[in-house]
Amino acid sequence: MVKEAYRKVNSNKGSAGVDAESLEKFQENLLENLYKIWNRMSSGSYFPKPVKEVIIPKAGGGERKLGIPTISDRIAQEVVKTYLEPRLEAEFSENSFGYRPRKSAHDALEKVRKNVRHYSWVVDMDIKSFFDEVDHELLLKAVDKHVPEKWARMYITRWLECPIQTSKGDLIQKKGEGTPQGGVISPLLANLFLHYVLDKWLEKTYPQLTFVRYADDVIVHCYSESQSLEVLNAIKSRLENCKLRLSEQKTKKVYCQAYNRPRQKSYPKKFDFLGFTFKPRTKATKDGRLFLGFDCEISQKSQTRIVQK
């Protein structure tokens, strides 16, 4: 399991953690280093090092904080992730696409494209600082439900409680919330948390509607204006009960204007999702006739970023 985890971590590359040990350096004593990880994990004496804080600029302005574990910790996390992923995958919703095997951002976009043909309204949701604010107590409740193995639960708890080391060398202790965006196991834990917070709750509360979720980016499809307002207010309450919150600036209701729908003046007619902009667009039928559809194209933000690169 440790060897297989190393192969995956090695194929993903990535930079060094707080110990400044690169993959190349780790490979100089490869078997010895892998043996040490196996020995400590199998005896219960494995403790992760602090997570290295790396700050990168966001595309729309502002900053995003990443947490980079050491090479050894990434391998240890990959062991547990690979071990747990099949059983959690069996539970996850078909409407969840982010960081899952055999699912991609393009699959999520295609699902949204199909949905906007049947639903006139969209709730475009942005969960504020999700990876920084995910509640440990609630997350571990979900872990306990699916992970009876004490060793796996013990290591997940240690990773969640692991402090963050800033560029100045200061250690920031966790206060019962947050999972590092950059950790190997973080996306799986995030999907498990949001499976119960949103996916399962939406499917049970609003079975007549559908949604698409890619990690913490969520699009909920509704039939009417009143329904979109009701769903948005219900989601706000649900997130607050689960110690999360929506970004007021980035969350909005959108009307999917098309040729076969009445005109609406008071609502936005476009939204961005995974680097694409969904909006009314002139399209052509097979015999060349033009009509107004609601579809996606690469967003202006993405185009600008590509040109700058």
Side-chain angles (χ1 to χ4, degrees):
M1 289 166 75
V2 172
K3 282 181 178 176
E4 188 54 41
Y6 159 71
R7 289 189 192 103
K8 289 182 182 176
V9 169
N10 187 43
S11 68
N12 291 332
K13 303 303 176 189
S15 58
V18 291
D19 59 0
E21 184 177 45
S22 64
L23 267 167
E24 290 76 16
K25 186 79 175 167
F26 184 88
Q27 287 159 354
E28 287 175 10
N29 292 304
L30 183 59
L31 289 178
E32 189 181 319
N33 287 331
L34 294 181
Y35 175 81
K36 195 186 293 182
I37 296 167
W38 168 80
N39 186 275
R40 289 178 180 176
M41 286 193 81
S42 58
S43 64
S45 61
Y46 161 75
F47 286 88
K49 288 187 170 70
V51 173
K52 179 183 175 183
E53 183 182 72
V54 175
I55 298 172
I56 60 169
K58 278 186 178 179
E63 294 175 335
R64 175 178 280 116
K65 291 180 181 178
L66 299 181
I68 309 299
T70 64
I71 303 296
S72 294
D73 290 336
R74 294 215 288 276
I75 292 168
Q77 288 188 27
E78 185 64 57
V79 168
V80 178
K81 177 190 170 237
T82 304
Y83 181 69
L84 297 180
E85 194 168 53
R87 77 176 74 161
L88 297 182
E89 274 295 313
E91 300 289 331
F92 290 161
S93 167
E94 62 177 16
N95 296 317
S96 162
F97 292 87
Y99 308 113
R100 294 183 61 188
R102 297 176 297 282
K103 282 180 178 274
S104 70
H106 288 283
D107 295 329
L109 287 162
E110 191 56 39
K111 190 77 182 283
V112 174
R113 287 184 72 204
K114 288 176 181 173
N115 289 344
V116 293
R117 294 171 200 158
H118 303 289
Y119 296 86
S120 307
W121 293 81
V122 150
V123 178
D124 176 17
M125 278 172 43
D126 186 273
I127 301 174
K128 195 173 179 69
S129 306
F130 170 72
F131 282 91
D132 297 330
E133 297 184 3
V134 59
D135 183 76
H136 289 179
E137 187 183 347
L138 290 176
L139 174 55
L140 289 171
K141 258 188 189 176
V143 169
D144 289 346
K145 182 177 171 65
H146 297 283
V147 185
E149 297 90 343
K150 287 182 182 178
W151 67 272
R153 295 207 305 266
M154 177 177 72
Y155 291 139
I156 288 170
T157 303
R158 287 181 189 175
W159 287 319
L160 288 175
E161 293 173 350
C162 196
I164 294 167
Q165 184 172 306
T166 66
S167 55
K168 294 177 182 176
D170 300 327
L171 281 184
I172 301 170
Q173 299 296 332
K174 293 281 183 66
K175 296 177 181 176
E177 61 180 27
T179 178
Q181 197 171 354
V184 171
I185 203 165
S186 293
L188 184 65
L189 296 178
N191 271 334
L192 177 62
F193 190 75
L194 287 175
H195 171 71
Y196 284 106
V197 170
L198 267 180
D199 302 357
K200 207 162 183 182
W201 176 81
L202 275 170
E203 287 166 357
K204 187 178 175 183
T205 314
Y206 297 100
Q208 74 277 28
L209 302 183
T210 190
F211 66 94
V212 174
R213 182 174 68 79
Y214 192 93
D216 56 341
D217 287 337
V218 191
I219 301 293
V220 184
H221 300 271
C222 304
Y223 285 114
S224 65
E225 177 186 356
S226 59
Q227 195 177 56
S228 66
L229 185 61
E230 179 197 332
V231 168
L232 179 54
N233 289 332
I235 288 171
K236 276 183 187 173
S237 300
R238 173 66 177 170
L239 290 180
E240 283 168 14
N241 291 337
C242 298
K243 302 182 182 179
L244 291 174
R245 57 207 167 117
L246 285 178
S247 166
E248 297 291 338
Q249 294 79 22
K250 295 179 182 176
T251 298
K252 61 181 184 289
K253 299 188 294 296
V254 176
Y255 182 59
C256 306
Q257 182 74 67
Y259 77 96
N260 56 346
R261 292 169 185 160
R263 294 208 168 270
Q264 271 274 1
K265 289 184 179 178
S266 53
Y267 281 97
K269 307 290 190 303
K270 66 177 183 177
F271 63 92
D272 284 0
F273 184 57
L274 303 179
F276 285 76
T277 299
F278 284 81
K279 64 179 183 179
R281 296 181 63 205
T282 303
K283 304 188 77 180
T285 60
K286 288 180 182 178
D287 57 2
R289 287 182 297 169
L290 300 179
F291 68 97
L292 186 70
F294 195 87
D295 209 340
C296 67
E297 60 185 20
I298 186 171
S299 70
Q300 189 59 54
K301 230 184 262 182
S302 297
Q303 285 187 53
T304 304
R305 194 163 63 243
I306 289 166
V307 168
Q308 283 173 347
K309 277 193 176 183

